[in-house]
Amino acid sequence: MKKLLLPLTLLFGLIGTAHAFDGDAEAGKAKSATCAACHGPDGNSLVDMYPKIAGQHAPYLYKQLRQYKQGMETGGKQGRNNSIMFGMVASLSDQDMKDLAAYFASQKMKSGTTPENVIARGEKLYRGGDANRGIAACIACHGPRGSGSSLGGFPKISFQNATYLKTTLQEFRSGQRANDLNGMMQDIAKKLTDDDIEVLSQYLGGLH
C-alpha cells in the first residue's frame, strides 16, 4: 500500500500545480513586444537559432522564465544560464512571467519540415532509442507526435527550429544546461553522437 501512496501523492501534487497556473493571455500579449525581436510577435521565431515558443505548454514556459531569472540572480550558478535572456527577464515580475507564458501558449506553432535523408534514422532513434547504447526513446516522454506533456513537464518539441534543438541537445550533453527534470535529458544527451544530434534536430522539425 505504501508503494502506491507515493506515486499518487506526486500525481495529485502535479495536478494541483497545473491547476494553480493563473497567467492572463491578454495581459501577456500586451507585455510581449520585447520578445518579438527573437521569437516573433506570435512566438513563431523566423530565426533558426531561437526557439519557437508558440503553442508551448504554459507551465513549461513559465518554468524557463523563472529559471532564467534565477540564473541571472546567481550569476549562472543555478537555474538556466543565458546572457541574452538575463536582460529580458530582469524586470519581469512573477505575474509578468505567467502572463507571457499564457499568451505564447495560446498561439499556434507553425509546422516545419523534415529532410528526406534523415527520416528513417530520426524515426528509429525517436521511437525506439538505442538499447545497445542505453539511449531511451524520445517518444516515452515527448509522445508519438512530439507534443510533450504539460502535466509531466515535458515540452512540445515537434516543429521546433533545428538549430535551436541542436544547440540545446549539445548544451545538455556538455552540462551547460542543467535544468531538466531529474537530469534525464543530460543522461540521454551524453550518449548521443554529433550525428545523432544532427539527425534528431532535423527530424523533429516536421514531426506530426
Side-chain angles (χ1 to χ4, degrees):
M1 184 66 179
K2 288 183 179 179
K3 290 182 180 179
L4 290 173
L5 288 176
L6 182 57
L8 287 173
T9 301
L10 290 172
L11 175 61
F12 291 136
L14 285 168
I15 292 173
T17 300
H19 287 173
F21 191 84
D22 57 354
D24 184 324
E26 281 302 312
K29 182 178 181 179
K31 300 170 183 178
S32 67
T34 56
C35 310
C38 295
H39 298 289
D42 64 349
N44 282 290
S45 178
L46 297 176
V47 184
D48 202 46
M49 67 182 287
Y50 300 124
K52 295 178 184 178
I53 54 177
Q56 186 58 269
H57 306 301
Y60 181 81
L61 290 174
Y62 171 60
K63 173 190 173 184
Q64 302 312 306
L65 288 171
R66 282 194 302 111
Q67 294 196 330
Y68 279 130
K69 191 154 191 176
Q70 184 182 35
M72 179 199 72
E73 294 170 344
T74 63
K77 294 179 180 178
Q78 297 179 42
R80 192 169 174 183
N81 191 357
N82 184 288
S83 58
I84 295 176
M85 285 302 300
F86 286 174
M88 298 295 102
V89 300
S91 62
L92 297 180
S93 67
D94 192 66
Q95 190 60 50
D96 289 337
M97 290 187 274
K98 288 182 177 181
D99 293 344
L100 286 167
Y103 168 64
F104 285 112
S106 72
Q107 302 304 296
K108 184 177 181 180
M109 187 179 290
K110 294 179 181 178
S111 61
T113 58
T114 296
E116 289 288 335
N117 65 315
V118 305
I119 292 177
R121 290 182 296 159
E123 183 173 31
K124 182 178 180 180
L125 196 53
Y126 184 85
R127 293 183 176 278
D130 189 326
N132 291 331
R133 292 187 287 155
I135 299 173
C138 311
I139 195 174
C141 295
H142 296 285
R145 296 187 178 182
S147 300
S149 165
S150 179
L151 183 61
F154 302 117
K156 173 182 172 66
I157 55 176
S158 59
F159 302 160
Q160 190 54 266
N161 287 330
T163 299
Y164 172 74
L165 283 174
K166 179 179 178 179
T167 300
T168 298
L169 287 171
Q170 290 171 335
E171 288 177 348
F172 277 130
R173 185 173 65 179
S174 70
Q176 182 179 345
R177 180 173 172 182
N179 71 328
D180 48 322
L181 182 65
N182 298 324
M184 287 191 292
M185 280 305 306
Q186 293 177 76
D187 289 341
I188 293 170
K190 286 175 183 175
K191 300 167 186 175
L192 297 177
T193 65
D194 288 341
D195 186 59
D196 292 333
I197 289 176
E198 187 70 38
V199 166
L200 281 171
S201 62
Q202 292 187 48
Y203 172 72
L204 288 165
L207 178 62
H208 294 275

